[in-house]
Amino acid sequence: VIAENLKSADFPGVFESLADLGSHLESLVAGHSKLFVLTDENTLSCCWPKMAAACPLLNEAHMLEIDPGDDNKCLEIAGQLWSCLLETKADRNALIINLGGGVITDLGGFVASAYKRGIAYINIPTTLMAQTDAAIGGKTGINHDRIKNVVGTFHPPKTTLICPVFLETLEYEELLSGLAEMLKHGLIADKTLWNDLVNINPKELINRADLIGRSIAVKTYITTEDPHEKGIRKLLNAGHTIGHAIESQAVAKGKPLSHGRAVAMGMAFESTLALAKGLLTQDENSEIQTVLNSFFGPPDLSELTTEDLMQFVLNDKKNQHDKFLFALPTGIGTAAFDVEIKEDEIATCLLSLK
Ligand SMILES: NC(=O)c1ccc[n+]([C@@H]2O[C@H](COP(=O)([O-])OP(=O)(O)OC[C@H]3O[C@@H](n4cnc5c(N)ncnc54)[C@H](O)[C@@H]3O)[C@@H](O)[C@H]2O)c1
């Protein structure tokens, strides 16, 4: 059903050129009392000069800059940003433009959602991960007490504007990270997208506004149908229950992984769970494992124990009434949510993948 509806999905603008994005932005910022541009150190040097040249009006903006890295998506930095907004006398009609990856769009969206009970913001995502996932769907968030995204809001941006030109300066590993989420969109909802991605050279994605747009269409369609994650939005958690556990464990061991790489490992694990539950055929699971291996290598789960995994799975936001609920593929291009998985099924799966 999702794939059939994708053609009509209303997804945010993907602009082939920065000039087009800039002139569109110019019309959107008019009428706001004050403009703020949030960047991290990398997007300030790689993306801001391009953006300022494409939209001269932004030269009047107040710049807000943070250090790069997921650690900065936290309450302390949010507090510093609220202080900056207060010092510059930002009122309720101020606008924040988030220019950066998922850390910037999550943090800037969160700051905007709570300042004076909510001001407007626009996302201009600059990583493949943020363009195809983090900046779409209206979820904002920060990490707290070493748990990722545990504090946050639903506060959609005024709009999200995307231009693949920003990806030219992105590290290869970051392109791979975004590709993991694009593959997930194909796996859960769009077999044609999956088929078009399986043999791609990740570097080619810089010139594939069409594939980026189709991946965004999946996320936009699902999040528009179910903005508050009561039903089909849970499908987007495919690969994430185990992926978050792997990501959190890697951080705890001082060997952090990119979010996308952890999600790819989570997808490999959860597809094996789906096979064990009879939701996937042997052939479908083999195809998924082969594709994920070709981009990310075999998942290294050698240091992971069931106790480690369960510690994080127990905290998962998707659990209900002490049941562990997963979103699992039911084929290539289809998936189911609220599939109950027991601890012993997780243990057996982990053993089979070691
Ligand atoms: N809200 C959601 O629905 C959602 C969904 C998925 C992920 N996320 C969040 O997104 C974050 C991950 O996003 P990310 O992978 O974009 O991480 P990120 O924002 O940390 O960006 C990765 C790195 O790339 C750098 N960078 C960004 N754009 C660049 C460019 N154009 N050229 C060169 N360097 C650039 C950044 O400075 C950073 O060092 C996580 O915090 C995750 O929880 C949120």
Side-chain angles (χ1 to χ4, degrees), residues 40 42 70 73 101-103 106 126-127 139 148-149 166 169:
D40 67 24
N42 297 329
D70 213 66
K73 213 179 83 175
V103 167
D106 270 10
T126 61
T127 62
K139 272 192 193 175
K148 274 189 61 72
N149 303 329
F166 287 120
T169 51

Side-chain angles (χ1 to χ4, degrees), residues 37 55 123 138 212-213 308:
V37 175
C55 183
N123 281 333
I212 292 174
D308 288 336

Side-chain angles (χ1 to χ4, degrees), residues 128 132 175 177-187 193-194 197 205 208 211-213 215:
L128 189 58
T132 56
L175 282 175
S177 184
L179 174 60
E181 296 288 1
M182 295 177 78
L183 284 166
K184 182 199 76 182
H185 290 153
L187 181 61
L193 175 62
W194 171 271
L197 288 172
L205 288 165
R208 296 300 302 268
L211 294 179
I212 292 174
S215 179

